[in-house]
Amino acid sequence: MLKIPTILTADEVLDKAFRKASKTDYQGLTRIDTVRETNISKVRSASDVIASTLGKYVKAFPSIERLSPFYAALIDVTIGKDKLKKSLGAIDWCRGAVARISRDAIRSIAKARSIDAIDTSRRAAYGRISSIVKQIDKELKFVAIARNTIRKFPTVDVSIPTIVIAGAPNVGKSQIVGQISTGKPRVAVYPFTTQEISLGVFERKYLRYQVIDTPGLLDRPLEERNTMELRAVLALKHLADAIVFVIDPSETCGYTLEQQEHLLESLRGEFGSTPMIVVENKADLVRSKSDRLKMSAVAGEGLPELIGELVGRLAGSQKHQQRL
Ligand SMILES: Nc1nc2c(ncn2[C@@H]2O[C@H](COP(=O)(O)OP(=O)(O)OP(=O)(O)O)[C@@H](O)[C@H]2O)c(=O)[nH]1
Ligand SMILES: [Mg+2]
């Protein structure tokens, strides 16, 4: 979703900077001039490499405030937005501090009256730069982990109406996503479940809709979840414009109807304001007397009705209106 460069450790940043600096070579008119200019170049080049490397990291990270609420919530759950902010702040501070050390060192090298004094200034600057960069090693390592987590986020288009498919395990959610979508659903991962999710897209009347599976996320009552899981689930609130809750009245999924109804109630409580359509799948096996929409994902039965219902509900939904 976001392009963030590989984050180096403190030692790697320093290595890169000093390696580049060691390649500078300058020819002056006198020996002291040559030494002076070469050392100024070295300090400048090392500091430039560090400033641009660290600056790139700070800029590459999305400012949480600018992210869509879904991604902001994901970052907070998986990484911690305060810790991320603090780490990036420390990296930015280091960038500024290195630039100041280098400016001071260049000034004293420019004024130095002997080759020894030049060498001493340059070495002192290198020492201070090293110790300052090493101070942010922990932050760099944390940000590297954050980057790898963010890279694994599912890429969902937060600007198109989104339908989240929920329900107990094995009720046919993935099957429904596959049936609803034109084309093969894309496979992605959530950072907080080991299962792959599928993401499908369909079109109606020149509008695109996105359908998202939720394996391992919305399959257990909320009261059974720990805080982290709960927040992960709640991130979906920002994403879902409508929820399709799938019930398997045949109970071949391994969950009783009672368990499934309980799960439904638990989600209703939490996602109260999000339109929810309850469907009974596997109608080819069992057809209850309820007035819920009946369908069979394997037989393709009830799909046009479901899509019609969704499109109707979403057209009336406020979120959707705002987006048009
Ligand atoms: N008879 C019948 N079987 C179905 C129907 N829909 C899905 N199944 C079967 O139910 C099983 C589970 O389907 P999935 O689509 O994987 O269910 P799921 O809800 O995505 O399951 P998890 O990802 O494990 O939560 C599969 O063996 C499907 O073939 C249906 O309409 N009728
Ligand atoms: Mg599934």
Side-chain angles (χ1 to χ4, degrees), residues 46-47 50-51 93-103 129 132-133:
S47 132
I50 292 168
W93 163 82
C94 174
R95 191 189 52 75
V98 167
R100 276 190 300 279
I101 293 169
S102 128
R103 271 199 304 276
I129 289 174
I132 282 212
V133 173

Side-chain angles (χ1 to χ4, degrees), residues 168-175 213 215 281-282 284-285 296-298:
N170 266 309
V171 293
K173 299 183 298 292
S174 303
Q175 194 94 27
D213 202 357
N281 191 35
K282 307 196 187 176
D284 52 306
L285 299 179
S296 166
V298 287

Side-chain angles (χ1 to χ4, degrees), residues 7 54 57-64 81-94 139 142-143:
I7 311 288
L54 300 185
Y57 297 168
V58 175
K59 269 208 222 92
F61 269 87
S63 150
I64 313 257
K81 74 167 191 272
D82 292 340
K83 196 162 178 207
L84 179 61
K85 248 187 175 165
K86 251 194 178 149
S87 301
L88 291 171
I91 293 172
D92 201 39
W93 163 82
C94 174
E139 283 80 2
F142 176 75
V143 163

Side-chain angles (χ1 to χ4, degrees), residues 12-178:
E12 287 165 345
V13 171
L14 289 168
D15 236 36
K16 181 175 160 188
F18 293 144
R19 213 169 339 109
K20 177 91 189 294
S22 73
K23 293 198 181 109
T24 43
D25 202 5
Y26 208 90
Q27 279 307 321
L29 287 174
T30 61
R31 172 144 160 75
I32 188 159
D33 268 356
T34 303
V35 172
R36 196 190 305 282
E37 290 310 320
T38 303
N39 280 288
I40 285 177
S41 269
K42 275 187 176 164
V43 172
R44 183 171 289 138
S45 144
S47 132
D48 284 354
V49 168
I50 292 168
S52 77
T53 306
L54 300 185
K56 206 165 62 187
Y57 297 168
V58 175
K59 269 208 222 92
F61 269 87
S63 150
I64 313 257
E65 284 74 26
R66 276 189 283 112
L67 278 180
S68 77
F70 171 64
Y71 283 117
L74 278 197
I75 287 191
D76 205 21
V77 176
T78 56
I79 301 165
K81 74 167 191 272
D82 292 340
K83 196 162 178 207
L84 179 61
K85 248 187 175 165
K86 251 194 178 149
S87 301
L88 291 171
I91 293 172
D92 201 39
W93 163 82
C94 174
R95 191 189 52 75
V98 167
R100 276 190 300 279
I101 293 169
S102 128
R103 271 199 304 276
D104 290 350
I106 288 170
R107 212 171 299 134
S108 64
I109 294 173
K111 282 192 297 205
R113 288 161 179 257
S114 70
I115 289 178
D116 262 3
I118 291 171
D119 257 358
T120 308
S121 286
R122 203 258 305 144
R123 253 186 274 122
Y126 269 29
R128 291 179 63 201
I129 289 174
S130 295
S131 96
I132 282 212
V133 173
K134 280 180 183 158
Q135 268 181 47
I136 58 152
D137 191 47
K138 258 210 320 270
E139 283 80 2
L140 287 169
K141 283 180 177 145
F142 176 75
V143 163
I145 294 170
R147 173 209 185 238
N148 293 338
T149 308
I150 289 176
R151 274 161 54 97
K152 288 196 205 116
F153 281 178
T155 3
V156 294
D157 186 341
V158 290
S159 69
I160 66 172
T162 302
I163 298 144
V164 162
I165 312 283
N170 266 309
V171 293
K173 299 183 298 292
S174 303
Q175 194 94 27
I176 292 174
V177 173

